Amino acid sequence: VYLPWVASVVPLSELDVVEVGCGTGSSTAVFARACKSVTAMEIEGSSIEVARERLRILGIHNAKVESVEAKELVRRLEASFR
């Protein structure tokens, strides 16, 4: 995970992070431990369930994993850059 590199460039403790394509949530969990909050988005249903379970097992409460259709994800990303 790239957290040490990111943390050397940006102070993370007060950031609300958006992770696009979180997969099974390994990076989500690492970022959640360092950041204020994480909103993770994924299009693959089975990965979403694994990511949610990973966060639950690790006792992480400042992260959420959202199921997002590909077209909706593109719409959200485009809107965030306007």
Side-chain angles (χ1 to χ4, degrees):
V1 176
Y2 304 102
L3 190 63
W5 177 85
V6 175
S8 73
V9 178
V10 178
L12 298 174
S13 63
E14 295 303 314
L15 287 183
D16 297 307
V17 172
V18 174
E19 181 182 17
V20 177
C22 69
T24 60
S26 56
S27 296
T28 308
V30 173
F31 275 107
R33 290 201 164 138
C35 299
K36 183 177 174 185
S37 70
V38 178
T39 300
M41 294 183 255
E42 177 59 50
I43 62 173
E44 175 58 43
S46 59
S47 293
I48 293 164
E49 293 309 313
V50 172
R52 288 176 177 160
E53 181 67 3
R54 180 189 306 271
L55 297 175
R56 186 193 68 73
I57 289 169
L58 294 173
I60 295 172
H61 303 288
N62 66 328
K64 63 181 178 179
V65 179
E66 296 182 6
S67 174
V68 182
E69 295 287 330
K71 287 181 181 181
E72 174 64 13
L73 181 56
V74 170
R75 188 196 66 74
R76 284 187 189 189
L77 291 171
E78 287 175 341
S80 71
F81 289 105
R82 291 186 183 147

